[in-house]
Amino acid sequence: MTIFERHRKLFVGVACLLVAILSHHFFISEFFKGRYMTGLNDGLSQMIPFKYFLYNLFTEGEFFYSESFGLGGGVFSQLGYYFSTSLIFYATVLLTFLLEQIGVLSTPDLFYWANIILMISILRMTCILLLTTYYFRKIRFNLLSAFVAATVYGTSIMYFRHVTYWEFFADAMLFLPLLLIGVEAIIKDGKVSWFIFAVAINMIDNFYFAYVNFLIAFIYILFRWLFPLFLEEVEKRRQIKLFLLGGITGALLSTPFFIPAAYGYLNNYRPPYEDSIPLFGAVDNLLLHGRLVILPAFVLFSLLIKPFYKKRSFRFFAALTITLCILHYSPFIGSLFNGLSAPQYRWEHFLSLVAGGVAGVALQHVKMVRLRDIYVAAFAGSMLYLLFFIGDPKLKIKIYESYLMICAAITLLLFFLFVQYKKRWTAWLIIGFLLYTSILTANKFQEEKLTYRDNGKGKGPDYGITRTYMESEEYYGIDQRKLIKRVQDMADHPLDRIDWMVETRNNTPIVQDFNGISVYSSILNHHLLSFYLHDLSIDMRRESVSRYASLGDRANLYAVLNGAYVIRQDGGDPVPFGFSEVAREGEYVAYRNDYKLPFVRTTSILYSEKDLEEMPVLAKEHAMLEGVILPKIEGGSSRLPEVEDVMEQVAVEPVGGTYSDGVLEVKDNTGGVDIVLHDKSIVKEDAFLTFFIKRKSNDKDFILSLNDFKTERKKNDSIYRTNVNEVTIRVQADERIRLRLPKGNYILKDLKLYMEDYSLLKNRKEESRGMPAATVKWKGRRATIIVDNVHGDSHMILPLPYERGWTAKVNGVKQEILRANYAFTGLQIEKGKNTVELTYLPPFFKVSWIIASFTAICLFVIWLRQRTYRKIGSHL
């Protein structure tokens, strides 16, 4: 027995690690130049902040809820799409925590999480290569072919795209081969345990990619039935029973993680995708310009060689590869894998895997190839490359594309060389070149597609994020941090919220460690999103889904939602009414809210949502100040607030264009309308302008400004638009209100104008001065509140987002939590002293653990019985 045979597993492990390291060569070289393996947008805005945020929570003993997640939220559910249930992240947290405890690491900061992306990626890819090699061995590839096939899959460009932009996406590439191993165990051996384990792991790790991988597995099973690999496969009816049994059992084991995460998704709000989704349309150039998948030249030519199709395994992988190449150009399939929403191409790691299968089978049977087969493949392959070149209007031949064509030519030359000589060294040349091109393509993609490119607009890099950039004022500036610290030191209460975010980075509060009023996550509390988008129509200065930010400079909302401070850049966004300057650092200024109301407010004045449904948002603000808005109340609402629309008392003058019958045509570069208040007595402190706005063409995003308030609106076909076109903007009142838009045609209608003098807010502030202050302790999933209800009010209102999972006790008695003011928490209270205890657990968490534990016990009992029977049988 040779050394290799004795230590085969070790050699394979080392080979996988070596391939992983070489595939990251570009990123490794960039790392030593001080750059991080992350992207400018979601990499810095979500991936790094969420890992930093969750690590701090977990190590503090908080796993389920945080008051610092936006206005407060269940992070176990709402970050289940990212890292809160990620097994890779759990392993990273455990190792990091142990290293921190023994003194090897200081407290991990943002830069630590940016630094270790590369190391985690290399280790993850090593595991992907090992698992995928094992999968191909399971279906009887020889070891070398299995390793090469795994390399084609593991080093695919999609892996690096995912790690750089959305790191957790890459985990799907790890758990897909695990799932397919389980599928093969059922089809080939009739054993279900691998499948149970794989289903449970997929569903625990990420509910979204479990859905993607399960759809992939379904397609895989169908093709396995159409193209059987072995004569001795399990009968299909038994397979179906085992798949159902294994799937249900695996799902039951995953419930403590899957159910809260899936509930978070179901409790989210995202506008329905209303655009048509064609069955086929341009997506990506698979051969020359791929941003998702690049089909290796060796795979393409192998698909064109007829003798390979005599082999069962080749027919199976070839049929899958050709089918998936066609589906690659289907937006409908992209939508199907994205839950029938906007097309997203997150399933195509499957194409890379089956392409690896084609390569592996071809290598095993390359001796079947004859010279005439190469001629046919050369001609057909050349025609395909020409077709993909001519048919791609975006393609510009540069270094990257030239390299791919050169690789194709060399691959073809090596085929000719092998057929000519039929020697082992020629086969090794083909294998070596395939490994080389797989690794080199990965590095070229990193350099050409994921690296910094100066766009000439003075914006940040697409890649090339350094510590210097992260410490700049565009992300984590020194002056910003100093000012935040000063504000936190002067705050009256640790729960006071600071309205500040770096432009477009809604997770600035997470990055800079303060309680803010903004967050960006694909999954959020739908009550809060509806509060912003519909109920109160709060303009966030940027139209986009999956986020909320600030409070639209509306002083009444800051008062009732604990908005204690705002920070503004000199010459930047306007300051809300009632805020006065308290600190300054560099070009940043902090303002304190002089009209902030107590964290706990009590009232007996009740309004129903239905009665206020058609009322202006300013009337709803007044209702929140005066009392509390509840979904339903007995006996009808208290007297509804009255606000006057003064639009009939003003003149509307077009500027730089024409305005007639609700259509605004801006002919100058910038134009719009002026709303002129000739009667000065109308002018109060603030003006609230409500209107419908929609650009008549789909060409581009645009900036809308109302006096000094600016907001960005999405183009009509953007997948990130909110579909909310009725806008309300608050500005400081003036005799002339200027609405400005860039050149173009717009629908501008239903203008309504309301004036606010803040007399009600001032009265509420004055009344609160004589009230005894409530004691509030809120940290993570527990809150304790002691309030003296001296006036005998019926209800208490908290600026704590309403979310399923909270339970409450008032003076020791369990009580229903009410959804108050559309998205927040209300409770009925008694006269006198009330002690309120609030506790949060993810929805269905306890019952999920009961189900999973019972399932695990049953499996253990079954395993013990089978083990006992086997022992008895061995002695008979």
Side-chain angles (χ1 to χ4, degrees), residues 487-501:
V487 168
Q488 289 173 324
D489 289 342
M490 69 175 67
D492 297 328
H493 197 281
L495 293 174
D496 282 351
R497 296 198 175 274
I498 304 169
D499 179 10
W500 162 245
M501 57 173 272

Side-chain angles (χ1 to χ4, degrees), residues 124-159:
R124 183 196 291 111
M125 180 179 284
T126 303
C127 294
I128 289 172
L129 293 170
L130 285 167
L131 261 180
T132 312
T133 300
Y134 181 76
Y135 156 72
F136 283 117
R137 291 286 286 156
K138 186 82 175 172
I139 54 174
R140 299 179 185 171
F141 279 38
N142 65 44
L143 182 57
L144 180 59
S145 297
F147 172 71
V148 173
T151 299
V152 171
Y153 171 61
T155 62
S156 61
I157 63 172
M158 196 167 189
Y159 176 82

Side-chain angles (χ1 to χ4, degrees), residues 59 102 111 249 398 407 467 574 629 659 685 723 727 764:
T59 53
I102 64 177
F111 307 105
T249 306
K398 296 179 289 187
C407 286
R467 183 171 184 131
I629 305 169
Y659 179 56
E685 294 285 355
N723 292 333
V727 178
R764 294 287 83 80

Side-chain angles (χ1 to χ4, degrees), residues 395-566:
L395 183 62
K396 295 179 181 178
I397 297 297
K398 296 179 289 187
I399 295 174
Y400 181 59
E401 291 75 15
S402 300
Y403 151 78
L404 292 174
M405 288 190 288
I406 292 168
C407 286
I410 295 175
T411 300
L412 197 58
L413 180 63
L414 292 175
F415 264 120
F416 275 112
L417 192 64
F418 176 82
V419 173
Q420 184 69 31
Y421 293 99
K422 295 281 187 178
K423 299 291 184 181
R424 178 175 290 186
W425 64 268
T426 55
W428 276 106
L429 275 178
I430 292 176
I431 294 169
F433 190 70
L434 179 54
L435 290 172
Y436 172 77
T437 53
S438 296
I439 293 169
L440 190 59
T441 300
N443 281 281
K444 285 290 183 183
F445 180 79
Q446 296 160 33
E447 183 178 3
E448 295 292 327
K449 302 298 182 182
L450 299 177
T451 55
Y452 170 64
R453 287 289 176 267
D454 187 1
N455 57 20
K457 298 179 182 178
K459 294 186 177 180
D462 195 32
Y463 167 73
I465 306 300
T466 63
R467 183 171 184 131
T468 300
Y469 179 79
M470 287 181 67
E471 289 183 324
S472 73
E473 301 304 316
E474 296 181 61
Y475 188 69
Y476 190 53
I478 295 173
D479 286 344
Q480 298 168 19
R481 282 180 279 156
K482 286 182 179 178
L483 187 57
I484 290 291
K485 183 65 169 63
R486 289 179 61 186
V487 168
Q488 289 173 324
D489 289 342
M490 69 175 67
D492 297 328
H493 197 281
L495 293 174
D496 282 351
R497 296 198 175 274
I498 304 169
D499 179 10
W500 162 245
M501 57 173 272
V502 176
E503 185 180 3
T504 75
R505 299 201 183 276
N506 294 57
N507 286 325
T508 295
I510 291 175
V511 170
Q512 299 187 4
D513 294 306
F514 64 90
N515 290 332
I517 313 179
S518 66
V519 72
Y520 168 34
S521 170
S522 290
I523 294 174
L524 291 168
N525 182 335
H526 83 276
H527 296 299
L528 281 173
L529 293 174
S530 183
F531 177 79
Y532 270 83
L533 295 174
H534 302 293
D535 302 321
L536 270 294
S537 188
I538 303 169
D539 193 283
M540 297 175 265
R541 293 189 172 87
R542 182 188 180 208
E543 181 191 15
S544 189
V545 296
S546 303
R547 66 191 76 206
Y548 59 81
S550 189
L551 291 168
D553 296 341
R554 286 155 61 171
N556 293 327
L557 296 181
Y558 283 103
V560 298
L561 296 180
N562 212 38
Y565 297 90
V566 300

